[in-house]
């Protein structure tokens, strides 16, 4: 935990999601409560991880309209639950105009690899551990995530975190990197100039991140948002050197696409 300026959070979200909103032709606004102090005390990396997941889902399941993030100061006079006591909290509320979630399915989406509707993945891509991990991290930081939604009326996910995290740092689980094999360095004369890479992923943040790394090594990057488009691009470009394929995507997932590519 450290002092985190709310302006830092705002800037991070703007830079990460403004291009996504532009790509999907959606309005995107971040509203900050003027009563909010300039900073809070929490784990900034974990906070960003949760917010990135909530906003990523909002954009994925919204095809028209808007996505809004509201950052507010709230005060609870009595303990809220076994994790959250009374006191001041910061609420990060993500509101979208997307497909929504039925009331009886809202607990299910916080379970690993579950969606409210099994047919959703065919149109919007798969789901994974994002909400499961996000809720657990919120609990470790002294807060929670709540959801309000209805089919075809959008969703509202609210993250509550204490203004000042007071738990012992040792209680926060950390993902260890011990035991990872160190990769040998690239040869000094390694040259990737002119190589053509196809990145297949329905999450534009991944596409931007991976493309920037590859282009820094003078590679040319093409991208497709699903397996069907990937196959079409491969048929039109015979000089592609490598395909980086996501697994869960809409229309045609990565496993199905790879099987089709191997037939050719």
């Amino acid at each position: 935990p450290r002092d985190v300026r709310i302006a830092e959070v705002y800037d991070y979200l703007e830079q990460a999601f403004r291009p996504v909103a532009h790509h999907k032709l959606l309005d995107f606004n971040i509203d900050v409560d003027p009563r909010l102090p300039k900073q809070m005390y929490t784990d900034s990396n974990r906070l960003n991880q949760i917010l990135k997941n909530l906003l990523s889902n909002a954009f994925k399941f919204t095809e028209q309209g808007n996505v809004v993030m509201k950052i507010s100061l709230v005060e609870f006079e009595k303990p809220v639950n076994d994790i959250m006591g009374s006191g001041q909290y910061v609420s990060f509320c993500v509101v979208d105009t997307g497909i929504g979630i039925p009331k009886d399915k809202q607990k299910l989406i916080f379970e690993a690899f579950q969606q409210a509707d099994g047919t959703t993945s065919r149109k919007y891509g798969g789901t994974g551990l994002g909400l499961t991990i996000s809720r657990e991290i919120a609990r470790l930081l002294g807060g929670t995530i709540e959801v309000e939604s209805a089919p075809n009326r959008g969703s509202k996910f609210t993250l509550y975190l204490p203004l000042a995290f007071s738990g012992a740092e040792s209680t926060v689980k950390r993902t260890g990197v011990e035991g990872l094999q160190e990769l040998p360095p690239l040869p000094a004369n390694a040259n990737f100039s002119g190589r053509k890479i196809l990145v297949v992923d329905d999450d534009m943040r991944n596409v931007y991140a991976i493309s920037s790394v590859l282009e820094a090594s003078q590679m040319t990057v093409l991208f497709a948002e699903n397996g069907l488009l990937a196959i079409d691009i491969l048929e039109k470009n015979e000089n592609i050197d490598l395909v980086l394929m996501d697994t869960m995507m809409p229309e045609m997932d990565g496993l199905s696409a790879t099987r089709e590519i191997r037939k050719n």
Side-chain angles (χ1 to χ4, degrees):
R2 66 173 179 85
D3 287 330
V4 181
R5 292 173 56 247
I6 301 298
E8 275 182 40
V9 180
Y10 179 98
D11 291 343
Y12 170 79
L13 298 175
E14 267 285 333
Q15 291 175 18
F17 288 97
R18 183 61 60 190
V20 182
H22 180 74
H23 175 77
K24 294 199 68 173
L25 303 178
L26 296 171
D27 290 330
F28 174 47
N29 293 302
I30 303 175
D31 298 331
V32 180
D33 184 347
R35 299 180 303 122
L36 198 63
K38 291 186 177 180
Q39 60 187 30
M40 62 186 296
Y41 184 72
T42 191
D43 184 326
S44 63
N45 289 330
R46 296 294 175 246
L47 170 60
N48 288 340
Q49 182 180 350
I50 298 172
L51 297 181
K52 189 163 70 170
N53 182 255
L54 295 180
L55 280 168
S56 178
N57 284 344
F59 279 105
K60 175 179 278 193
F61 296 111
T62 302
E63 294 187 336
Q64 57 184 7
N66 58 69
V67 174
V68 177
M69 162 76 81
K70 299 177 181 178
I71 308 176
S72 308
L73 181 68
V74 293
E75 186 151 359
F76 297 111
E77 295 181 358
K78 300 183 295 184
V80 179
N81 51 40
D82 57 339
I83 299 292
M84 298 171 58
S86 59
Q88 291 185 315
Y89 285 76
V90 181
S91 78
F92 300 87
C93 184
V94 177
V95 183
D96 65 58
T97 55
I99 60 175
I101 307 159
K103 182 77 172 175
D104 61 337
K105 303 289 187 182
Q106 290 174 13
K107 287 186 178 179
L108 181 69
I109 60 172
F110 287 98
E111 296 179 13
F113 305 109
Q114 297 292 323
Q115 283 185 329
D117 181 353
T119 62
T120 305
S121 61
R122 289 201 289 273
K123 183 173 183 181
Y124 294 98
T127 188
L129 289 163
L131 284 174
T132 308
I133 292 173
S134 293
R135 177 171 270 186
E136 180 61 20
I137 293 172
R139 286 174 59 85
L140 291 169
L141 292 177
T144 191
I145 298 175
E146 296 181 353
V147 59
E148 297 176 36
S149 186
N152 303 314
R153 296 183 63 182
S155 300
K156 179 168 80 170
F157 283 83
T158 306
L159 165 67
Y160 292 100
L161 289 183
L163 185 62
F165 173 66
S166 58
E169 188 171 359
S170 60
T171 65
V172 180
K173 296 177 184 176
R174 297 193 176 275
T175 302
V177 294
E178 297 82 1
L180 288 182
Q181 183 179 358
E182 280 201 26
L183 296 175
L186 287 171
N189 62 347
N191 183 4
F192 300 106
S193 298
R195 295 293 188 181
K196 186 173 285 188
I197 314 296
L198 173 60
V199 177
V200 189
D201 200 312
D202 62 318
D203 189 328
M204 291 306 296
R205 295 168 305 147
N206 292 341
V207 174
Y208 291 132
I210 294 169
S211 297
S212 65
V213 173
L214 299 178
E215 289 170 351
S217 293
Q218 286 72 55
M219 295 186 234
T220 299
V221 181
L222 303 177
F223 85 92
E225 291 183 88
N226 59 59
L228 283 174
L229 294 173
I231 291 171
D232 184 55
I233 290 173
L234 280 169
E235 289 175 349
K236 294 175 181 176
N237 296 268
E238 294 184 354
N239 60 342
I240 288 176
D241 297 291
L242 181 73
V243 179
L244 296 177
M245 183 78 75
D246 184 27
T247 302
M248 294 186 288
M249 296 179 293
E251 304 295 342
M252 178 185 279
D253 64 42
L255 299 179
S256 301
T258 301
R259 281 193 286 267
E260 289 300 314
I261 291 168
R262 284 177 174 161
K263 289 179 185 177
N264 186 343

